[in-house]
């Protein structure tokens, strides 16, 4: 069928009518063994607005952040889990306030929204596991305040104690961003505004002895009180039943009753101030005064404590006073109702530790990368304080970059530990998994420049040497080196940088695009690099077959030899060869292109150790003369348990070992996975390289084994590739070998080519050392609404595509030298507008646009505009399609955003989008709602960079 729609063209102001062919055979399917998704080790780094503790269980804390929603911990902050089930819009995960119910131990309230819009009051009935909208009538501001509102920026914000509970009498009250104070009547499910409409409210406190009495403060406008909260009439303007306290300071950020005593924290224009409020608000007794000094302008923004004969009071500061060591007094304590104060977050009374969760945790990467953001660091702010209900000498503090726990030790000092593990709270516009180094992942980060991991994001570090902490934007890898060379563009500078090994601490190199382009109007919105190696064969075995290996994702059908059909099977994401005799068994890709110079990768494991003889698994290359001639890399396991590696050459079915067999491991545990990366290149000599490492350890940077074959019977011609397994000696077991993550590239090389897309500056190409403009800014890449221009450049191809979100899809068939505008569309909404080409068939292009997913066939030679190319819509209904990608074998991955009542999903397709298989799990659907980019590692791991919620990871 044909589908028609209208699309705004953007700057050109045109309306375009496009005809689309819907894929008649399209279908969704559900995968029983969905990927397992979870948070990365990108711990902390964002602003935590509020943290509350279960009144009956001090191990259960719930945290609310400015851009990442809710996190929950059940082990007192050692580990956190995102808990955003029920939030489906971006503004809903800006958390301004949390409050635990006083009558129901399973109920928690959350106030959300951005600039007083698109949020509401949510409630959880399962201790924060899931959330339901109670009402969208009250609105809040959980992040930065609107610049148009002339409030303090960047801190303090309109967050903290904004929910006051009188549930026993059937009411709750909220201090909204600027709608005034609202009352909710539980029995009738109705709301009333009882005053202060239009004022920017900062806090609310209910008198525990008279719950008809409320106190609240308005930014720069003092403190207000009502004594008729339950009965005040609904108003649409004005102060309603609230009266301004004539003696109240103008700027109170937080108020809290500790027992029957009301305490207030803020500033008076020249000092940071803490007060005790008595006589119904008519008396304000100053308890703490911290004079301002230049740009150091302390504001006390949080307060909590424990009632007693002498109240214990904790207060938290923004820009706390510096001590002689340069530490800021971020948290202070009084044990005498505010008569005297001690800074417990600075020496000599505080000890700051950087191991997460406690003394045995991993060191928080940010402590070395950004020490200024640590507790009592120069930019730290203590946004909210919660006292442990079972230990008044232990507190939890949320604020800059995470949550901290402070515990009084036996010597009277406070030990501080960051509670941030798996708390993902950053903006990351792009991500790349290094195909040349399994487990290495790189991403640019807003505020932090560039971050990386060497272990599938379990641990994170940063490298801004020569880069600074400019906001990273887009990333692309050059695989002519190992590890891959990283190219990074910045969203707050018109620069592109490169780094051959950022994980080794190597300094960044400025590629000079700003110098070449001269005075530029904007930032570099995208970057791409030419890669020369071409994928010819590959398989991740994501199918099921009982008596063959079926058809690979790249390279055609597998042909098996050397055993019964049932000795070859596919299940559980691996290809299996059953070795039950001493015969060799082969599975080769006969329909793949014969290649000479080969770069390969494979993982393999086996389910037992031979009791006698030995077993082996091996990738092979240059198979020719039928199946009689080839090179192979044999990973052997003998009856002692030893694992050994050696190259072999087979000529006319006679196999000889090359060089010296090397030990990989002294013993083997059944099922343990090993990786092999190998090369076969050259003709005289033929160079054989291989490295082997155990899964879960870092891939070596050097070859485990290397050999040069100059013999007259060397195999110096192109051939096929595949996998084999077998046994030797007196072997009598029945052992199954499992192969996965198989990939073979034809090695090629060429000159350096880099593309850079500049906002209001056009598209630029760098060949060697020289930049030249290849698309004018009047044709494309004018004012960008979403900061990104998306490239897809299939490795080994001269064809490269660009989605300029203002003008549409562009193509170049000469490595970026000249360009054709092939589809005039625009996608000015963030997290939409992506292209991904099939690396095994560069003419197949997938486009995510206006919530739908399309395929362009023959996009390398045809056009929608002025041509005969008709986009094929791959979904019968809008998919909310966001970032898309293809892996090295051409498998398509599609993310869909959440919206309304629809949760996020991720789909995979091995048939060019005809069938989309849902591989999301419950965690994904609840927490991976707002993706920026997606990439697939050579090990099948899925990495998703997020709009505010860090990096999310899918384990195959």
């Amino acid at each position: 069928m044909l589908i028609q729609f209208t699309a705004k063209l953007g700057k050109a102001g045109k309306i375009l009518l496009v005809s689309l062919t819907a894929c008649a055979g399209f279908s969704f399917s559900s995968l029983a063994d969905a990927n397992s998704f979870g948070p990365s080790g990108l711990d902390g780094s964002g602003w935590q607005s509020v943290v509350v503790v279960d009144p009956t269980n001090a191990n259960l804390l719930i945290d609310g952040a400015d851009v990442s929603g809710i996190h929950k911990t059940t082990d007192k902050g050692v580990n956190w889990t995102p808990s955003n089930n029920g939030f489906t819009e971006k503004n809903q995960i800006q958390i301004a306030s949390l409050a635990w119910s006083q009558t129901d131990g399973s109920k928690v309230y959350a106030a959300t929204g951005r600039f007083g819009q698109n949020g509401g009051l949510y409630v959880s009935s399962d201790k924060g596991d899931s959330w339901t909208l109670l009402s969208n009538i009250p609105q809040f501001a959980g992040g930065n305040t609107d610049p148009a509102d002339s409030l303090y920026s960047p801190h303090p914000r309109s967050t903290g104690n904004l929910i006051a509970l009188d549930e026993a009498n059937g009411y709750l009250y909220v201090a909204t961003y600027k709608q005034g104070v609202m009352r909710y009547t539980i029995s009738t499910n109705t709301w009333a505004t009882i005053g202060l409409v239009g004022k920017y409210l900062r806090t609310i406190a209910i008198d525990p002895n008279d719950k008809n009495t409320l106190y609240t403060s308005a930014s720069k406008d003092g403190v207000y009180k009502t004594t008729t909260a339950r009965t005040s009439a609904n108003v649409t303007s004005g102060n309603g039943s609230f009266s301004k306290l004539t003696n109240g300071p103008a700027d109170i950020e937080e108020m809290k009753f500790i027992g029957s005593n009301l305490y207030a924290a803020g500033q008076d224009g020249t000092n940071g101030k803490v007060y005790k409020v008595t006589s119904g608000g008519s008396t304000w007794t100053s308890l703490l005064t911290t004079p301002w000094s230049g740009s150091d302008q302390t504001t006390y923004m949080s307060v909590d404590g424990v009632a007693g004969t002498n109240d214990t009071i904790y207060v938290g500061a923004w820009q706390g006073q510096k001590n002689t060591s340069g530490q800021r007094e971020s948290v202070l304590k009084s044990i005498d109702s505010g008569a005297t104060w001690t800074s417990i977050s600075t020496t000599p009374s505080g000890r700051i530790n950087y191991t997460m969760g406690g003394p045995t945790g991993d060191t928080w990467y940010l402590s070395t990368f950004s020490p200024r953001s640590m507790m009592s660091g120069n930019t730290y702010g203590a946004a909210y304080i919660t006292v442990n209900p079972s230990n008044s000498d232990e507190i939890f503090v949320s604020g800059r970059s995470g949550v901290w726990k402070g515990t009084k030790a036996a010597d009277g000092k406070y030990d501080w530990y960051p509670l941030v593990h798996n708390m993902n709270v950053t903006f990351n516009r792009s991500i790349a998994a290094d195909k040349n180094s399994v487990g290495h992942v790189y991403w640019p980060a807003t505020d932090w420049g560039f971050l990386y991991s060497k272990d599938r994001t379990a641990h994170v570090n940063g490298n801004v040497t020569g880069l600074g902490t400019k906001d990273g934007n887009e990333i692309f890898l050059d695989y002519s080196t190992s590890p891959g060379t990283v190219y990074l563009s910045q969203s707050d500078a018109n620069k592109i940088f490169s780094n051959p090994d950022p994980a080794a601490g190597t300094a960044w190199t400025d590629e000079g695009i700003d110098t070449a382009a001269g005075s530029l109007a904007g930032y570099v919105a995208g970057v791409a690099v030419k890669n020369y190696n071409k994928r010819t064969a590959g398989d991740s075995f994501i199918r099921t077959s009982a008596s063959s290996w079926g058809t690979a994702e790249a390279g055609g059908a597998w042909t098996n030899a050397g055993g019964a059909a049932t000795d070859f099977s596919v299940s559980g994401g691996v290809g299996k060869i059953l070795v039950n005799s001493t015969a060799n068994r082969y599975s080769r890709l006969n329909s793949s292109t014969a290649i000479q110079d080969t770069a390969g990768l494979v993982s393999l494991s086996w389910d037992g150790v031979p009791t006698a003889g030995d077993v082996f698994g091996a990738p092979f290359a240059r198979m020719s003369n039928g199946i009689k001639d080839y090179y192979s890399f044999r990973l052997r396991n003998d009856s002692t348990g030893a694992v050994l590696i050696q190259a072999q050459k087979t000529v006319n079915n006679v196999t000889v070992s090359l060089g010296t067999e090397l030990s990989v491991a002294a013993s083997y545990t059944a099922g343990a996975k090993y990786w092999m990366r190998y090369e076969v290149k050259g003709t005289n000599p033929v160079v054989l390289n291989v490295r082997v490492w155990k899964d879960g350890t870092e891939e070596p940077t050097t070859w485990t084994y290397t050999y040069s074959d100059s013999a007259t019977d060397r195999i110096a011609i192109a051939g096929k590739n595949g996998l084999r397994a077998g046994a030797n000696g007196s072997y009598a077991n029945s052992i199954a070998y499992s192969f996965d993550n198989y990939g073979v590239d034809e090695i090629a090389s060429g000159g350096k080519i880099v593309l850079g897309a500049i906002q209001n500056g056009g598209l630029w190409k760098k060949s060697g050392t020289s930049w030249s403009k290849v698309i004018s800014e009047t044709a494309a890449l004018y004012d960008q609404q979403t900061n990104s221009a998306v490239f897809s450049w299939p490795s080994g191809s001269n064809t490269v595509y660009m989605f300029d979100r203002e003008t549409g899809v562009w193509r170049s068939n000469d490595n970026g030298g000249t360009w054709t505008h092939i589809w005039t569309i625009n996608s000015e909404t963030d997290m939409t507008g992506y292209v991904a080409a099939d690396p095994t068939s560069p003419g197949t292009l997938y486009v995510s646009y206006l919530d739908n997913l399309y395929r362009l066939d023959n996009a390398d030679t045809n056009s929608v505009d002025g041509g005969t190319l008709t986009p094929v819509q791959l979904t019968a209904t809008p998919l909310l399609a966001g970032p898309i990608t293809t892996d090295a074998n051409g498998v398509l991955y599609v993310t869909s955003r959440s919206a309304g009542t629809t949760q996020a999903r991720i789909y995979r397709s091995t048939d060019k989008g005809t069938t989309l298989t849902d591989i999301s799990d419950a965690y994904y659907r609840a927490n991976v709602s707002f993706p920026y980019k997606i990439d697939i590692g050579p090990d099948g791991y899925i990495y998703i960079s997020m709009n505010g919620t860090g990096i999310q990871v899918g384990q195959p």
Side-chain angles (χ1 to χ4, degrees), residues 530 753 755 765 767 774 793 797-800 811-820 860:
K530 167 80 173 184
I753 303 175
L755 300 175
K765 175 182 178 180
S767 296
V774 292
W793 198 338
S797 174
N798 295 332
T799 298
V800 54
R811 179 195 69 228
S812 171
N813 287 329
D814 58 1
N815 295 315
T818 58
W819 290 81
T820 301
D860 56 341

Side-chain angles (χ1 to χ4, degrees), residues 424-443:
N424 281 216
V425 289
T426 56
F427 292 96
N428 309 278
R429 288 193 168 273
S430 188
I431 194 161
D434 194 338
K435 310 303 186 288
N436 284 356
S437 188
V438 173
H440 280 216
V441 188
Y442 314 105
W443 61 95

Side-chain angles (χ1 to χ4, degrees), residues 266-327:
Q267 49 93 0
D268 66 2
T270 57
N271 306 277
K273 299 289 290 188
V274 177
Y275 302 90
K276 183 177 181 179
V277 186
T278 55
S279 304
S282 62
T283 302
W284 289 72
T285 303
S286 176
L287 304 179
L288 179 61
T289 299
T290 303
W292 289 2
S293 176
S295 61
D296 287 340
Q297 299 180 356
T298 300
T299 297
Y300 292 103
M301 56 197 294
S302 53
V303 59
D304 197 13
V306 179
T309 303
N310 286 301
D311 293 342
T312 297
I313 312 169
Y314 298 92
V315 295
W318 168 249
Q319 293 188 330
Q321 180 173 269
K322 290 183 179 179
N323 66 9
T324 55
S325 300
Q327 294 177 303

Side-chain angles (χ1 to χ4, degrees), residues 72 186 191 215 274 385 435 507 556 581 589 604 736 816 829 869:
K72 178 179 176 179
I186 296 172
W191 288 86
Y215 296 85
V274 177
I385 295 176
K435 310 303 186 288
S581 71
L589 289 167
L604 61 165
T829 303
L869 181 57

Side-chain angles (χ1 to χ4, degrees), residues 528-548:
V529 185
K530 167 80 173 184
N531 283 292
Y532 292 87
N533 284 7
K534 183 177 182 180
R535 177 58 52 104
T536 62
D539 208 348
S540 55
F541 299 99
I542 46 178
R543 57 188 177 276
T544 301
S545 177
S547 57
S548 74

Side-chain angles (χ1 to χ4, degrees), residues 161 202-209 214-217 223-224 245 248-249 251-267 273-281 283-288 300-316 332-341 384-385 387:
N161 291 324
R202 309 296 270 191
T203 185
I204 192 169
I206 189 167
D207 190 332
N209 299 315
L214 298 175
Y215 296 85
T216 187
S217 70
V223 180
Y224 291 80
L245 300 180
D251 283 294
I252 293 298
E253 295 296 333
E254 196 76 290
M255 303 177 76
K256 181 70 179 282
F257 274 96
I258 299 175
S260 297
N261 295 324
L262 178 61
Y263 296 92
Q267 49 93 0
K273 299 289 290 188
V274 177
Y275 302 90
K276 183 177 181 179
V277 186
T278 55
S279 304
T283 302
W284 289 72
T285 303
S286 176
L287 304 179
L288 179 61
Y300 292 103
M301 56 197 294
S302 53
V303 59
D304 197 13
V306 179
T309 303
N310 286 301
D311 293 342
T312 297
I313 312 169
Y314 298 92
V315 295
L332 296 93
K333 178 182 181 181
S334 172
I335 59 174
D336 51 14
S337 299
T340 60
W341 295 87
Y384 198 84
I385 295 176
V387 179

Side-chain angles (χ1 to χ4, degrees), residues 414-479:
Y414 270 74
D415 287 316
W416 291 92
Y417 291 94
L419 309 181
V420 293
H421 184 48
N422 291 144
M423 182 180 281
N424 281 216
V425 289
T426 56
F427 292 96
N428 309 278
R429 288 193 168 273
S430 188
I431 194 161
D434 194 338
K435 310 303 186 288
N436 284 356
S437 188
V438 173
H440 280 216
V441 188
Y442 314 105
W443 61 95
T446 299
D447 295 332
W448 310 113
F450 174 85
L451 301 173
Y452 67 86
S453 173
K454 298 191 288 186
D455 56 6
R456 298 174 174 138
T457 74
H459 299 87
V460 172
N461 216 317
N463 181 353
V464 294
T465 304
L467 178 69
T469 53
K470 299 284 187 181
D471 289 349
N473 194 37
E474 295 291 332
I475 197 170
F476 213 97
L477 265 61
D478 173 8
Y479 292 114

